[in-house]
Amino acid sequence: SSCSPRKLSKAVVSTQSTGVIANNKERGVISQLKELLSLNDCELEFTPDALQSVAELAFCKKTGARALKSIVETTLLDAMFEIPGSDITHVEVSSETVLDKRPPTYTRTVTVTEQTP
């Protein structure tokens, strides 16, 4: 039978999986990407439902940490190309970004131009 992340009970997916991807400062894939984006003065945020969706997808793929890394990197692929050299200062990833391939929400700096009389 196929595994559907939308139909999984939250109790089925190990909270440990979510903790590893979210909180492991040295080896967690999200922590590594946060560090990478911070070099471009950009903050990366995964909502709690996005973290749960990543964990559920990884559970369905049954490949553990490799699935987590692949899912997160695929989710952020476009953003990783768009952010360097841009005015994007914050990226928010939701469950819709993870499951439905919707773009993340970008926050950009506001540039104020002064007009001279």
Side-chain angles (χ1 to χ4, degrees):
S1 69
S2 66
C3 181
S4 171
R6 294 183 192 275
K7 294 180 182 176
L8 282 176
S9 162
K10 292 187 188 237
V12 170
V13 177
S14 167
T15 55
Q16 183 179 3
S17 296
T18 305
V20 168
I21 60 173
N23 299 321
N24 189 319
K25 300 287 185 208
E26 293 175 15
R27 297 182 301 154
V29 64
I30 292 175
S31 294
Q32 291 171 2
L33 289 171
K34 283 181 178 184
E35 178 109 3
L36 182 63
L37 292 182
S38 74
L39 298 174
N40 291 293
D41 296 320
C42 184
E43 181 184 357
L44 174 63
E45 175 187 358
F46 274 70
T47 63
D49 63 323
L51 291 174
Q52 185 69 31
S53 295
V54 169
E56 290 171 358
L57 279 173
F59 179 83
C60 285
K61 291 184 183 241
K62 299 180 181 174
T63 56
R66 268 185 241 148
L68 292 173
K69 187 173 187 333
S70 172
I71 293 162
V72 171
E73 288 178 346
T74 300
T75 299
L76 289 171
L77 187 62
D78 290 341
M80 297 302 286
F81 283 101
E82 201 166 331
I83 292 166
S86 75
D87 60 350
I88 298 170
T89 58
H90 185 265
V91 177
E92 181 181 279
V93 177
S94 67
S95 65
E96 290 81 15
T97 308
V98 176
L99 297 175
D100 300 330
K101 310 293 184 228
R102 290 190 189 160
T105 303
Y106 296 126
T107 302
R108 299 175 182 270
T109 54
V110 177
T111 306
V112 178
T113 57
E114 291 184 29
Q115 295 180 348
T116 52

